[in-house]
Amino acid sequence: MGPASRRKRCGRAGGGRAPPGPMERLRKLCRGRTVTFGVPLLLYLIGGSFGLREFAQIRYDVHRLHGKVDPALKEKLKQNTVTLESEYEKLEKSDLDNWENIRGPRLWEDSRAVQKQRREAARLKTE
């Protein structure tokens, strides 16, 4: 059988299968890789973009509401004149050559008990 005989059989109603209908075409399209993997991926990406935009907007709205500064605090901050030069002068006055390394309490140690021991040790040193 050559290509000509195949053409005759497929095109006729009695000689073979009928041409695919719209439902069969739709089923075949749904079984394709593009619809199976591509469409859900695009929906996920686009939906995620809109979701992130909404969450970011909520974040900025909350920041705008809670970020307002009290006028009294604003005035106090304006009065506080700390400059880099003044902090540098404080560091020059301090003695950085004579210092003592102090160990902090371990996780399993009670910090108040450790502080009490250190105070007693310092008191005994001074006496």
Side-chain angles (χ1 to χ4, degrees):
M1 274 199 216
S5 63
R6 270 194 227 136
R7 254 187 258 128
K8 287 180 188 173
R9 270 194 304 145
C10 290
R12 300 182 191 241
R17 289 178 33 179
M23 288 304 291
E24 192 173 326
R25 285 184 191 152
L26 185 63
R27 277 191 217 116
K28 190 173 183 180
L29 180 68
C30 287
R31 281 183 270 154
R33 290 180 65 136
T34 302
V35 175
T36 305
F37 298 109
V39 172
L41 177 68
L42 288 175
L43 288 174
Y44 184 74
L45 289 173
I46 293 169
S49 171
F50 283 110
L52 281 175
R53 186 187 72 194
E54 292 300 319
F55 281 117
Q57 188 62 44
I58 291 170
R59 174 183 167 202
Y60 294 131
D61 290 344
V62 167
H63 183 69
R64 190 178 326 128
L65 289 175
H66 294 289
K68 295 180 180 175
V69 180
D70 186 33
L73 180 63
K74 210 176 218 181
E75 289 298 321
K76 187 176 179 182
L77 288 174
K78 284 182 182 177
Q79 292 173 359
N80 189 7
T81 56
V82 176
T83 62
L84 188 61
E85 291 81 14
S86 65
E87 291 298 315
Y88 182 72
E89 288 171 4
K90 284 182 190 176
L91 281 175
E92 277 185 336
K93 291 176 186 175
S94 65
D95 186 22
L96 297 177
D97 292 331
N98 299 324
W99 58 275
E100 183 181 348
N101 190 15
I102 300 174
R103 178 182 75 82
R106 303 289 192 258
L107 292 175
W108 57 87
E109 294 176 341
D110 183 25
S111 65
R112 292 180 187 213
V114 171
Q115 287 175 0
K116 190 175 181 182
Q117 288 174 356
R118 286 202 189 120
R119 285 187 191 123
E120 289 177 13
R123 186 178 50 85
L124 291 175
K125 263 186 185 178
T126 59
E127 289 179 354

